[in-house]
Every structure is written in C-alpha cells, then in structure tokens.
Amino acid sequence: MHEYSLAHALLEGLTEHLGQYPVQGRVKAVHIRKGELLILSEEALAEAWRILTDGTPVAGSELRIEKVPVRVRCPACGYEGPVRYVSEEGWHFVVPVLACPQCTGRAEVVEGRDLAIVGLSVDDAPLDRPSTEERNGSRRLLGEDRDLCG
Amino acid sequence: MHDIRLGTEDVIRRQIELASRNHKLFQDRNVRAFNVMGAIGSGKTLLILRLAERLKDKGLRVGAIAGDVAGDDDYQRFVAAGLVAANLNTGDDCHLDAHRVGHALESFPLGDVDVLFIENVGNLVCPADFPLGTEGELVVISVTEGDDMVRKHPKMFAQTDVLAVNKVDLASFVGVDPMVLVDDYRRLNPHGKVVLTDAKSGRGADDLLAVLGL
C-alpha cells in the first residue's frame, strides 16, 4: 500500500511541470508508464489519484496506465530483451524471472521499474474564453514538449 | 482534445538516485550495508543479532538500524546486544525508503561500524519497490507462516537474491516442509541463494554470513 505516496510524487512532478509549462484547457487524462516489477495496485493508484488531485488543476483527470514489461540485459552473453515468465496453475499470477532467457545467467533489469507521467490528454475547449491568439499559442506554452497530434 | 507527450521525472528513478547516494556514502565510509526485509515475526531481529555475534568474533564492528512503524523494541534489542544502533520509525509507512534512510544516516556514526544491517518494516510487499542503496538484500521468512509464503509474494522473491527460511526447527511441529518454500523460490529466482536457519540456536548463521559475503 504505497500507492498514495507514489501518486503524490507523480502529482508533485506534474504540478511542477504545469507551473513551468501551463496547458490551456482541462486535463482529461494523465498517461503514466508503470513497470511490471512494481508492486502497485492499479485500482488503488487510480483511487489515490482521484482523491489527491481534488482541488488541483488536474482534478477530475483520469489516470491511464500503460504497463511496461520487464526487459533485461545479460552481461554474460549480451542478450537484451524480454524475460521468461513463471506461470503456475493455482498461483493466479504471472511473474517475470530476472534471469537471461538465452543463457540463464544473472540479468540486469533495463526496464520494468518505471513509474512516470508520459503524457496528457487536454480538452481543447477553452476554460475562460481566451483569445484566438492565446489559443493558438497554447502549444507554444508547452515549452519543449512535443504535441502528438502534430 | 489533443495529447501532449511529456517527460516528468520518473518517481522510481528518483528513489534509485537517492539509494545511489546512500550507496556511495557506504562505499566512502567502507561500510558493508544490508537491507534485511521479511515477514512480520519471521525472526529478522534475532537473525541479525546472531550474525552480529559471529561478525564481532571476527573482529568486525556491527551496526543496525531498526525500521518499524512504531516503537523501539527492536532498537532496544540491538542496543542491549551492544550494537551501534538507531531507531527509525516510519509513522505510518509500510516500508523504509532511501530518503528516510538517508536522513537516518546523517546522524548515524558510520565511522564506528564495518557492517550495517538495516532492518526493514515487516512486510513482504512494499519494501521490494524501494531500494535503500545497500550492497545486499536479504529476505527472511519462517516456516511458521506456512509453506505458501513465497508463492503468495512472488515479486518480492523474484527480485531478492538471498532468502533465509527461519525457524526450521519448528517445521515438523507446524507441518511445513521447508523445501516447498525453497522450490517455489528457485522457480521464481534461479540465481537466488537459500539458507535454512534457526535463529534461536544460531543454526545456519555461518552459512548465511558466507552467502552474504561476510
């Protein structure tokens, strides 16, 4: 049960970012990457987000979670890629095995412990009837961020 | 509606960075530190005391940080045994993290110890997500918790490379075959090392030290 503290850390990072690069319009969804190795309940994370964002500029936003599968690098044979999984009948769980699937050597985790906000979905409808110029400039206000919609 | 891609700081990477600071501190001060995780009541504290006795016999100075939600029971046990000790209450958190440990280290006399055990909050879930910057990690379970303890917490065991199965002297009394725990662990973590221990008598403590490279 550390979903609240991690949701809080995510929100802090986002708040800081939006302070520097404000967006025009309501944030409808916040997209995050969540590594497969993290022991986090997605339901609890979404609930923590709902509660913690109340009263903030991203209140009412939906947390959309993209799972990041484990990738490893093997120092012994040079393999880099996905791992094999243990799936036992009755365990009701599929668990990544942190060993090289090629040579069985000890492998280093490259991906799978991530937890970061990677994007926002923003409603284009203006909040306070900003001028056309302001609306057109909204993307410029995003600073270095790239706009996926081109 | 439009989508914006952004790259705010990865909050786990932040934890890893804080852990790296602790790691560097341990290296700079020549302290070999170990994160002792495990189930509630599995015998983490007593096992640390048994390891400490043997390390003292080898002429090494041992320290311990007692991580608990509340109270100083484990801390008092460490102090009574003559360890350089600190108490670290988390308040409500179910795990230690690198940030909290970093602050504890600010006032800990690292110059007075060669080996430091950081006893995490009893929990087989959350501590796995929070590296502390130690050179090694150990997870302790005991047979009295049942033979399903490993498979019930697969991610913890898949990521922790040393397992102590404690209280093995009680196995027959509680009808648990320790090898069930060992077999489950090997499936989840083919490189993991397992030691059967009985902290009361000290059985297995020497093997555990060897596995930890001490």
Side-chain angles (χ1 to χ4, degrees):
Chain A
M1 265 312 285
H2 43 281
E3 286 79 4
Y4 278 81
S5 59
L6 291 180
H8 185 255
L10 285 170
L11 180 59
E12 268 188 343
L14 181 59
T15 306
E16 191 179 317
H17 184 89
L18 291 177
Q20 280 183 288
Y21 308 109
V23 293
Q24 300 290 310
R26 196 165 77 81
V27 176
K28 299 275 283 184
V30 175
H31 303 265
I32 68 166
R33 279 164 61 87
K34 173 188 160 289
E36 186 180 23
L37 282 172
L38 295 187
I39 309 175
L40 287 181
S41 153
E42 293 186 10
E43 291 78 9
L45 199 60
E47 180 66 0
W49 186 259
R50 188 184 67 75
I51 291 168
L52 292 172
T53 54
D54 191 29
T56 74
V58 292
S61 61
E62 181 197 346
L63 203 59
R64 294 200 190 145
I65 301 169
E66 175 203 348
K67 281 182 196 162
V68 183
V70 172
R71 285 178 67 82
V72 293
R73 182 187 297 124
C74 177
C77 75
Y79 171 87
E80 182 166 338
V83 290
R84 84 178 168 81
Y85 289 78
V86 177
S87 176
E88 295 278 338
E89 195 178 337
W91 284 22
H92 304 149
F93 216 89
V94 177
V95 187
V97 176
L98 302 182
C100 175
Q102 198 162 271
C103 76
T104 72
R106 186 182 294 275
E108 298 163 358
V109 175
V110 178
E111 269 191 322
R113 290 204 169 103
D114 324 54
L115 187 65
I117 294 172
V118 290
L120 304 174
S121 294
V122 181
D123 198 335
D124 284 324
L127 289 175
D128 301 309
R129 291 182 294 154
S131 68
T132 308
E133 188 185 358
E134 282 173 322
R135 290 185 65 185
N136 288 342
S138 65
R139 286 177 186 168
R140 185 171 45 76
L141 291 174
L142 298 173
E144 296 169 2
D145 299 327
R146 284 189 291 154
D147 192 322
L148 294 182
C149 298
Chain B
M1 178 84 78
H2 67 282
D3 290 336
I4 302 160
R5 179 178 295 172
L6 49 81
T8 59
E9 188 179 39
D10 186 309
V11 300
I12 297 298
R13 198 160 297 147
R14 170 78 180 144
Q15 288 292 330
I16 292 170
E17 280 169 14
L18 291 168
S20 302
R21 282 190 215 172
N22 294 344
H23 190 75
K24 186 171 184 314
L25 184 63
F26 294 136
Q27 280 188 324
D28 289 348
R29 307 297 292 273
N30 282 322
V31 173
R32 302 195 57 192
F34 297 86
N35 178 8
V36 182
M37 300 176 284
I40 296 171
S42 58
K44 297 183 291 299
T45 309
L46 191 54
L47 203 50
I48 289 170
L49 291 175
R50 292 290 176 260
L51 298 180
E53 288 165 6
R54 284 156 177 77
L55 290 168
K56 278 184 179 176
D57 290 344
K58 294 182 180 190
L60 295 167
R61 301 165 303 163
V62 183
I65 294 177
D68 266 308
V69 170
D72 64 355
D73 298 81
D74 289 346
Y75 166 74
Q76 295 297 350
R77 290 181 180 109
F78 291 139
V79 169
L83 271 62
V84 180
N87 197 36
L88 185 51
N89 283 155
T90 61
D92 287 318
D93 273 344
C94 46
H95 56 275
L96 295 181
D97 63 33
H99 178 247
R100 205 184 288 270
V101 169
H103 281 304
L105 292 174
E106 287 168 5
S107 56
F108 194 91
L110 282 175
D112 295 344
V113 300
D114 301 302
V115 179
L116 176 66
F117 294 105
I118 302 175
E119 183 178 340
N120 218 306
V121 177
N123 180 346
L124 288 175
V125 185
C126 311
D129 281 348
F130 296 89
L132 303 181
T134 54
E135 71 166 61
E137 292 181 336
L138 159 69
V139 60
V140 183
I141 53 174
S142 68
V143 296
T144 56
E145 291 136 32
D147 64 7
D148 47 10
M149 207 38 54
V150 171
R151 71 183 67 157
K152 280 181 174 175
H153 305 89
K155 283 188 182 172
M156 165 64 87
F157 294 95
Q159 299 181 66
T160 309
D161 285 346
V162 180
L163 167 66
V165 178
N166 198 24
K167 306 185 191 177
V168 285
D169 54 317
L170 298 179
S172 61
F173 296 105
V174 293
V176 166
D177 178 0
M179 292 318 290
V180 174
L181 294 161
V182 174
D183 288 344
D184 283 349
Y185 181 59
R186 292 211 192 288
R187 260 180 286 176
L188 289 167
N189 192 335
H191 291 281
K193 293 174 181 165
V194 190
V195 181
L196 302 183
T197 59
D198 166 28
K200 275 275 188 224
S201 68
R203 175 183 164 189
D206 288 324
D207 293 338
L208 187 53
L209 282 183
V211 162
L212 294 173
L214 287 166

